[in-house]
């Protein structure tokens, strides 16, 4: 019987995500003070540039201002407890982030 250790599970998971098109980077390289730092502090739990780039890639028809609003909601949230925040984030992942689309000064839709 082969025992699966943490490293084997991690490598398998990274392989699966790689097969789905996800990129893997070494954490210390993008950490604060790293050679390719992507956040100023560990208090910033979301890699904001990556989030916005991904939102833009999967929603090319949505104006940048609307995507910035969606990113702001995801980054800052508005839940009173950790449990509520987790539930809210799950809803956003499955149903989308509710935002208003502005065109020519008019609200066109709420997504």
């Amino acid at each position: 019987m082969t025992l699966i250790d943490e490293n084997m599970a991690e490598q398998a998971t990274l392989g699966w995500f790689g097969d789905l098109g996800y990129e893997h980077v070494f954490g210390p390289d993008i950490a604060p003070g790293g050679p390719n730092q992507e956040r100023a502090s560990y208090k910033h739990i979301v890699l904001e540039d990556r989030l916005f780039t991904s939102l833009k890639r999967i929603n090319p028809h949505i104006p940048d201002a609307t995507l910035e609003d969606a990113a702001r909601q995801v980054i800052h949230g508005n839940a009173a407890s950790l449990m509520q925040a987790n539930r809210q984030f799950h809803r956003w992942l499955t149903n989308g982030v509710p935002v208003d689309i502005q065109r020519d000064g008019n609200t066109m839709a709420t997504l």
Side-chain angles (χ1 to χ4, degrees):
M1 181 169 99
T2 302
L3 294 177
I4 297 175
D5 64 18
E6 182 178 347
N7 183 57
M8 292 169 65
E10 179 180 353
Q11 295 309 312
T13 302
L14 290 173
W16 295 328
F17 279 117
D19 291 346
L20 292 171
Y22 287 90
E23 175 187 10
H24 169 257
V25 294
F26 185 53
D29 287 348
I30 62 172
N36 299 310
Q37 176 177 318
E38 292 193 31
R39 57 183 168 178
S41 161
Y42 285 109
K43 291 181 180 181
H44 299 123
I45 59 171
V46 175
L47 300 175
E48 296 179 22
D49 289 341
R50 287 179 182 251
L51 173 62
F52 185 76
T53 299
S54 295
L55 288 173
K56 192 170 180 92
R57 179 178 44 81
I58 61 177
N59 298 285
H61 60 286
I62 304 292
D64 284 358
T66 303
L67 296 176
E68 289 167 2
D69 180 37
R72 227 180 344 271
Q73 289 186 61
V74 169
I75 292 165
H76 299 292
N78 60 3
S81 72
L82 181 58
M83 182 68 78
Q84 289 173 335
N86 287 338
R87 287 182 178 148
Q88 180 180 59
F89 189 71
H90 181 263
R91 275 193 308 277
W92 288 340
L93 284 175
T94 55
N95 302 324
V97 178
V99 291
D100 293 330
I101 297 176
Q102 299 290 325
R103 295 233 165 111
D104 300 324
N106 298 313
T107 299
M108 301 302 290
T110 300
L111 302 176

